[in-house]
CSV table of all heavy atoms in Angstrom, one decimal:
chain,number,residue,atom,x,y,z
Z,81,GLU,N,35.2,1.0,-4.5
Z,81,GLU,CA,35.1,2.1,-5.4
Z,81,GLU,C,34.9,3.4,-4.7
Z,81,GLU,O,35.5,4.4,-5.0
Z,81,GLU,CB,33.9,1.9,-6.4
Z,81,GLU,CG,34.3,0.9,-7.6
Z,81,GLU,CD,33.2,0.8,-8.6
Z,81,GLU,OE1,32.2,1.5,-8.5
Z,81,GLU,OE2,33.4,0.1,-9.7
Z,85,ARG,N,37.5,6.7,-4.4
Z,85,ARG,CA,37.0,8.0,-4.7
Z,85,ARG,C,37.4,9.0,-3.6
Z,85,ARG,O,37.9,10.1,-3.8
Z,85,ARG,CB,35.5,8.1,-5.0
Z,85,ARG,CG,35.1,7.6,-6.3
Z,85,ARG,CD,33.6,7.8,-6.6
Z,85,ARG,NE,33.4,7.1,-7.9
Z,85,ARG,CZ,33.0,5.9,-8.0
Z,85,ARG,NH1,32.7,5.2,-6.9
Z,85,ARG,NH2,32.8,5.4,-9.2
Z,88,GLY,N,40.9,9.9,-3.4
Z,88,GLY,CA,41.3,10.9,-4.5
Z,88,GLY,C,41.9,10.2,-5.8
Z,88,GLY,O,42.5,10.9,-6.5
Z,89,LEU,N,41.5,8.9,-5.9
Z,89,LEU,CA,42.1,8.2,-7.1
Z,89,LEU,C,41.3,8.6,-8.4
Z,89,LEU,O,40.2,9.0,-8.3
Z,89,LEU,CB,41.9,6.7,-7.0
Z,89,LEU,CG,42.6,5.8,-8.0
Z,89,LEU,CD1,44.1,5.9,-7.8
Z,89,LEU,CD2,42.2,4.4,-7.9
Z,90,ASN,N,42.2,8.8,-9.4
Z,90,ASN,CA,41.6,9.1,-10.8
Z,90,ASN,C,40.4,8.2,-11.1
Z,90,ASN,O,40.6,7.0,-11.1
Z,90,ASN,CB,42.7,9.2,-11.8
Z,90,ASN,CG,42.2,9.6,-13.1
Z,90,ASN,OD1,41.1,9.1,-13.6
Z,90,ASN,ND2,43.0,10.3,-13.8
Z,91,GLU,N,39.3,8.8,-11.5
Z,91,GLU,CA,38.1,8.0,-11.8
Z,91,GLU,C,38.4,6.9,-12.8
Z,91,GLU,O,37.8,5.8,-12.8
Z,91,GLU,CB,36.9,9.0,-12.3
Z,91,GLU,CG,35.7,8.3,-12.3
Z,91,GLU,CD,35.0,7.9,-10.9
Z,91,GLU,OE1,35.2,8.6,-10.0
Z,91,GLU,OE2,34.2,6.8,-10.9
Z,92,ALA,N,39.2,7.2,-13.8
Z,92,ALA,CA,39.5,6.3,-14.8
Z,92,ALA,C,40.3,5.0,-14.4
Z,92,ALA,O,40.2,4.0,-15.1
Z,92,ALA,CB,40.3,7.0,-16.0
Z,93,LYS,N,40.9,5.1,-13.2
Z,93,LYS,CA,41.7,4.0,-12.7
Z,93,LYS,C,40.9,3.1,-11.7
Z,93,LYS,O,41.3,2.1,-11.3
Z,93,LYS,CB,42.9,4.5,-12.1
Z,93,LYS,CG,43.9,5.2,-13.0
Z,93,LYS,CD,45.1,5.8,-12.3
Z,93,LYS,CE,46.0,6.4,-13.4
Z,93,LYS,NZ,47.1,7.0,-12.7
Z,94,ILE,N,39.8,3.7,-11.1
Z,94,ILE,CA,39.0,3.0,-10.1
Z,94,ILE,C,38.6,1.6,-10.3
Z,94,ILE,O,39.0,0.7,-9.6
Z,94,ILE,CB,37.9,3.9,-9.6
Z,94,ILE,CG1,38.5,5.2,-8.9
Z,94,ILE,CG2,37.1,3.2,-8.6
Z,94,ILE,CD1,37.4,6.2,-8.5
Z,95,TYR,N,38.0,1.4,-11.4
Z,95,TYR,CA,37.5,0.1,-11.7
Z,95,TYR,C,38.5,-1.0,-11.8
Z,95,TYR,O,38.4,-2.0,-11.2
Z,95,TYR,CB,36.7,0.1,-13.0
Z,95,TYR,CG,36.1,-1.3,-13.3
Z,95,TYR,CD1,34.8,-1.7,-12.7
Z,95,TYR,CD2,36.7,-2.2,-14.2
Z,95,TYR,CE1,34.2,-3.0,-12.9
Z,95,TYR,CE2,36.1,-3.4,-14.4
Z,95,TYR,CZ,35.0,-3.8,-13.8
Z,95,TYR,OH,34.4,-5.0,-14.1
Side-chain angles (χ1 to χ4, degrees):
E81 284 188 354
R85 283 186 189 94
L89 192 66
N90 180 317
E91 192 68 32
K93 296 178 182 177
I94 289 176
Y95 181 82

